[in-house]
Amino acid sequence: MNDVLALIGDATLLASLRRVAAAADRQLAEPTVLPRRRAWLDAGLVVVDRDEALSCAAALPRRSGIVLVCPGAPGLDEWQAAATVGAEHVLGLPDDEVELLAVLGAAAEPEAGGGTVFAVVGGCGGAGASTFAAALAWAAAARGAPGVLLVDADPFGAGLDTLTGLEERAGIRWSGLTVDSGSVSARALRDAVPEWLSGVGVLAGDRGAERIGAAPLTAVLEAARRAGVAVVCDVARTFDEVAEAAIAAADTTVLVTQARVSGALAAARTADWLTGRAATAGVVVRGPAPGGLRAADVAAVVGLPLLAAMRPQPGLAEALERGGLRLRQRSPLVVAAFEVFDSSAHAGPRGAA
């Protein structure tokens, strides 16, 4: 299968396309005559100029994934040719080279689909939402998810790189991530972020850097979902636009709280905010319960389904102080995370039939 089929007679346009394709790590096929039907249909993307667009429209079947390029700003002739061939983008070069780079990069992504996004929110102070988010990513990898991305969307936390012991590990953080035209390459992102466990990447923030915005967060979550990745997003209790973006993108929102009266009441207020924003939401209740409060009672106060009740994890605080979170298959954190992940698998990703 050809990567990009270039049908361009203009030498200047072709040179511009070659530069962009090299930057996007895409291979070009440059036939000198009109391609055969199979080569036309098998190409991942087709880039044409106005004259070639008209020739293709007359001789070849309709297909998706066509980009029409022209020198300078497109005029009426270019728009008419684009409509004739069914082009999805009309770009003037060299001014639109950045947008062309984004189109070529997005077309390279494996559209596996089926990715799932989890948003994990603390229902009260000290609930342990970040720790549970990491455990949920661990569980997704253990269940065979084709790729897992743990995303830090809590600017007021210690940082997921610190939690996982990756603060000294090389790899891209939020400040080094570039989002072009509202899109990001999931493949490039997976290769660039530091890896916590086999198949589990961590996109963390930078201490002292500017806070992330809602648009870049949405681009990351949606790109990963399209690539079939399981995403776990650690969300702050700030109720701002970034938190709203994470909740809006999530298939399942997990509210983590403590088995205490104060934790239940605080989580109930957070649950009220989630109403109308979360596609599906449930609560995870962490022990201990010093007053004997049952997890089912906490869930009733919060007003959300009980996803899991978790026993206290011995030695957790000490382990976090000694180089980051290390989990075992039967630890209370992982057992609860498996319950949440397995229950979400029956619901499927957002938009699934």
Side-chain angles (χ1 to χ4, degrees), residues 35-51:
R36 293 181 179 274
R37 176 190 177 97
R38 179 48 52 196
W40 165 259
L41 293 176
D42 281 353
L45 191 74
V46 178
V47 184
V48 296
D49 60 17
R50 183 181 63 85
D51 291 342

Side-chain angles (χ1 to χ4, degrees), residues 3 24-26 104-105 107-110 184-193 223-224 227 229:
D3 204 6
D25 194 24
R26 304 297 303 271
L104 265 60
E109 291 298 315
V184 66
S185 167
R187 180 178 64 177
L189 181 60
R190 289 197 305 273
D191 292 341
V193 297
V229 173

Side-chain angles (χ1 to χ4, degrees), residues 150-155 157-162 166-167 171-176 194 202-212:
L150 181 57
V151 177
D152 196 341
D154 183 358
L160 290 178
D161 54 349
T162 300
L166 299 176
E167 63 267 35
I172 198 169
R173 268 64 172 176
W174 271 112
S175 64
V202 179
L203 178 57
D206 302 85
R207 276 159 281 285
E210 292 185 9
R211 294 174 59 181
I212 64 171

Side-chain angles (χ1 to χ4, degrees), residues 317-341:
E318 293 80 2
L320 293 177
E321 291 294 322
R322 293 197 301 264
L325 185 65
R326 296 294 179 268
L327 296 171
R328 292 176 292 104
Q329 184 89 6
R330 296 185 179 180
S331 66
L333 264 171
V334 171
V335 170
F338 276 139
E339 288 186 49
V340 172
F341 185 80

Side-chain angles (χ1 to χ4, degrees), residues 167-181:
E167 63 267 35
E168 301 298 329
R169 186 82 59 87
I172 198 169
R173 268 64 172 176
W174 271 112
S175 64
L177 183 64
T178 300
V179 178
D180 291 317
S181 302

